[in-house]
């Protein structure tokens, strides 16, 4: 069955879209009719494969190499989508990474790297998107909103994570950035929302699922008893970007199989 074309005619940027969650989100948005810029910082072949997959399915996409933590590269990326598709309607701030270490061993470089890609990168991209959305305003035949910004957070915006202070701080920061932007931009008919995934099977957390023993240990943290798939997030992002979610702004949707339900208390603690 063909996916309903709820994003028909809209243009989207998905950051970090050559792998894992970003790749699945880009494919899902394209299946719903959006034209997608596949952002990446890696080799072109991985991004080219995502573009090929979208194109073969009848969608439209192109790839763009840009480091989301670099202001000039982010500006160049927005200029590229506006040149190619005329404007932008949807930004999915997805790019992110981990550089794990105990606090006492963590270098300033590790702290700064994670904060600048996971948090500052989302600020830089959101700012460019908002500038374009405000300048252009609502285009009724495309969407009831002037623009949508989706911020990829994590259950670690609320669950502390020993040994990952830079990552958890970046995700906590995304939560408050998202809410503040939602408050500031709502009068411009711009919606800003968050997605907080639990454990999703991607390269970022391979050690947590690559052996049966590791996966069983991980499943102890997931009441619904399965690891999430990138496509779970693709479906949610598509819905949040569509007008079906038009009255949602300033909230994070947790998509985690119950990971944030304090599973350790399920047997009375
Ligand atoms: P992944 O490693 O498969 O993908 C991360 C992507 O970000 C890659 O495409 C990578 O190239 C890109 N990236 C990294 N640094 C970049 C930069 N400076 N500029 C542009 N792109 C950059 O991991 P994933 O699991 O797909 O993670 C995607 C997002 O989802 C991240 O923000 C991550 O924190 C979040 N998340 C993942 C999980 C999970 O369980 N997989 C859970 C919660 C949140």
């Amino acid at each position: 069955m063909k996916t309903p074309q709820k994003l028909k005619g809209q243009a989207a940027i998905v950051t970090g879209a050559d792998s894992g969650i970003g790749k699945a989100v880009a494919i899902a948005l394209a299946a719903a009719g959006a034209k997608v810029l596949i952002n990446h910082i890696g080799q072109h072949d991985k991004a080219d494969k995502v573009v090929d997959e979208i194109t073969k399915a009848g969608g439209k996409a192109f790839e763009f190499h840009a480091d989301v933590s670099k202001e000039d590269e982010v500006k160049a990326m927005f200029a590229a989508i506006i040149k190619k598709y005329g404007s932008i309607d949807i930004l999915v701030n997805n790019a992110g990474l981990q550089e794990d270490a105990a606090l006492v061993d963590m270098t300033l470089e590790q702290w700064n790297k994670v904060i600048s890609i996971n948090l500052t990168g989302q600020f830089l991209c959101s700012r460019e998107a908002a500038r374009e959305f405000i300048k252009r305003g609502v285009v009724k035949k495309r969407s009831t909103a002037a623009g949508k910004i989706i911020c990829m957070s994590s259950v670690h915006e609320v669950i502390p994570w020993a040994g990952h202070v830079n990552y958890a701080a970046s995700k906590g920061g995304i939560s408050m950035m998202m809410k503040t932007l939602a408050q500031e931009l709502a009068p411009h008919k711009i919606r800003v929302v968050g997605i907080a995934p639990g454990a999703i099977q991607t390269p970022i957390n391979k050690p947590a699922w690559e052996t049966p023993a590791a996966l069983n240990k991980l499943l102890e943290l997931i009441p619904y008893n399965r690891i999430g798939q990138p496509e779970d997030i693709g479906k949610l992002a598509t819905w949040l970007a569509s007008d079906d979610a038009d009255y949602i702004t300033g909230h994070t949707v947790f998509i985690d199989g119950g990971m944030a339900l304090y599973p350790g208390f399920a047997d009375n603690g």
Side-chain angles (χ1 to χ4, degrees), residues 43-59:
Q43 300 300 319
H44 289 269
D45 53 337
K46 269 175 83 186
D48 283 341
K49 276 192 191 142
V50 182
V51 172
D52 276 358
E53 188 172 336
I54 289 173
T55 313
K56 280 191 187 125

Side-chain angles (χ1 to χ4, degrees), residues 16 18-19 21 41 67-68 94 153 167 171 198 200 202-205:
D18 66 346
S19 174
I21 291 173
I41 48 158
D67 180 337
V68 294
N94 166 77
S153 180
Y167 184 83
K171 297 301 184 181
I200 310 298
T202 75
I204 208 174
N205 55 4

Side-chain angles (χ1 to χ4, degrees), residues 69 97-120 161 163-173:
S69 68
L97 45 65
Q98 291 178 216
E99 283 268 340
D100 307 330
L103 171 64
V104 291
D105 300 322
M106 188 173 284
T107 62
L108 180 59
E109 198 186 4
Q110 287 175 311
W111 171 268
N112 282 339
K113 185 175 178 188
V114 171
I115 297 294
S116 56
I117 293 171
N118 293 14
L119 182 57
T120 309
W161 202 14
H164 305 75
V165 66
N166 48 3
Y167 184 83
S170 75
K171 297 301 184 181

Side-chain angles (χ1 to χ4, degrees), residues 138-158:
V138 175
V139 181
K140 277 205 177 119
K141 65 177 183 206
R142 292 211 296 267
S143 175
T144 45
K148 284 84 60 160
I149 298 174
I150 298 176
C151 300
M152 202 58 68
S153 180
S154 162
V155 287
H156 296 295
E157 74 168 51
V158 294

Side-chain angles (χ1 to χ4, degrees), residues 16 19 22 40 42 60 66 70 89 100 105 158 172 174 178 181 200-201 219 222 234 240 247 257:
S19 174
H40 67 102
K60 287 198 171 71
K70 304 261 165 59
D89 305 275
D100 307 330
D105 300 322
V158 294
I174 286 168
M178 180 278 294
L181 296 187
I200 310 298
Q201 194 165 17
L219 291 177
I222 309 173
L240 283 171
Y247 207 45

Side-chain angles (χ1 to χ4, degrees), residues 18 37-44 47 62-68 72-74 76-77 80:
D18 66 346
L37 181 155
I38 307 295
N39 161 251
H40 67 102
I41 48 158
Q43 300 300 319
H44 289 269
F62 73 106
E63 55 109 351
F64 195 88
H65 189 282
D67 180 337
V68 294
D72 54 341
E73 296 185 26
V74 168
M77 176 168 72

